[in-house]
Structures are given as structure tokens and as C-alpha cells.
Amino acid sequence: MKVLMVCSGGFSSTIVVNAIKKEADKQGLPIEIIACGTPEFTLNVEQFQPQVVIVAPQVKHRYAYFKEEGDKINLPVEQIPLNAYTPLGAPKIINEIIKKCHMLITDYSSV
């Protein structure tokens, strides 16, 4: 599953993206995730073709725009809760990605 994380400049999310990758590997989930800055949103949606977009807390003021653009192409867009935007929040973020993508996974209630 491809996930695009949108943050302010594409740099601050590196630690969180790496934590999500590590947690996905630990759980055996096929998640490919990249981060981009707000200006690169449209280009990354076109080129990377994610199945879900997650929006970092520092750009929540742009969420309505990302959601509107996602709705045009049936692309789910979710905000990352502030308390999950840490390396320790990776399991919570993955759980939200799974819910949003409607994946058929037996039991991730412990995530």
C-alpha cells in the first residue's frame, strides 16, 4: 500500500516516516511511504499514486484543500493527530491507515 505524508517542507516528517516503515516491517505490512512538502502535493499524488494521504499536524490548516483534491480522484486523506506525530505514534498512524484503506486484516486491535 502506498502512503503519501504531507508536511510543511518535507523534512520534519523523516523521523516519523522512518518509524512508520519500521513498524510496518515489524507487523509484516506492505506499506510504502514517502513524505513531501505542501508545494509538492499534486506532483507526488500524480507520480507516486498513493492509496491514502496523511497530513501532518503542522499543515492542518491546509487539510481542507488536500481533502478536496483527494475527493476529486477518490483518494482518502486523513489528518495525523498531534499526539501520534512522533516515532512512538507509528502504530497509531498505521492503524488509521489500515482503517482508511479498508484493508482486510484479521486483528490489529493491539495497534
Side-chain angles (χ1 to χ4, degrees):
M1 159 187 12
K2 290 183 167 186
V3 179
L4 176 64
M5 178 187 289
V6 184
C7 69
S8 185
F11 304 108
S12 65
S13 56
T14 301
I15 294 170
V16 176
V17 165
N18 288 337
I20 292 170
K21 287 178 183 178
K22 184 176 179 180
E23 183 65 26
D25 287 344
K26 180 178 159 185
Q27 294 185 28
L29 297 172
I31 294 178
E32 181 181 352
I33 182 168
I34 64 168
C36 74
T38 303
E40 294 85 29
F41 171 74
T42 302
L43 179 65
N44 277 277
V45 166
E46 291 170 0
Q47 291 181 350
F48 183 61
Q49 298 183 352
Q51 293 165 291
V52 66
V53 172
I54 54 177
V55 180
Q58 69 266 37
V59 290
K60 68 181 181 183
H61 63 282
R62 302 284 317 267
Y63 174 75
Y65 167 76
F66 299 133
K67 176 81 171 116
E68 181 180 315
E69 292 301 304
D71 286 348
K72 290 178 185 176
I73 57 172
N74 202 25
L75 175 64
V77 177
E78 272 302 306
Q79 288 183 312
I80 300 172
L82 182 58
N83 64 349
Y85 195 67
T86 71
L88 297 176
K92 184 174 184 174
I93 295 170
I94 287 175
N95 192 38
E96 291 304 312
I97 291 168
I98 291 167
K99 286 180 191 176
K100 200 63 181 178
C101 287
H102 306 287
M103 289 182 63
L104 301 174
I105 295 179
T106 308
D107 183 16
Y108 281 96
S109 59
S110 64
V111 176

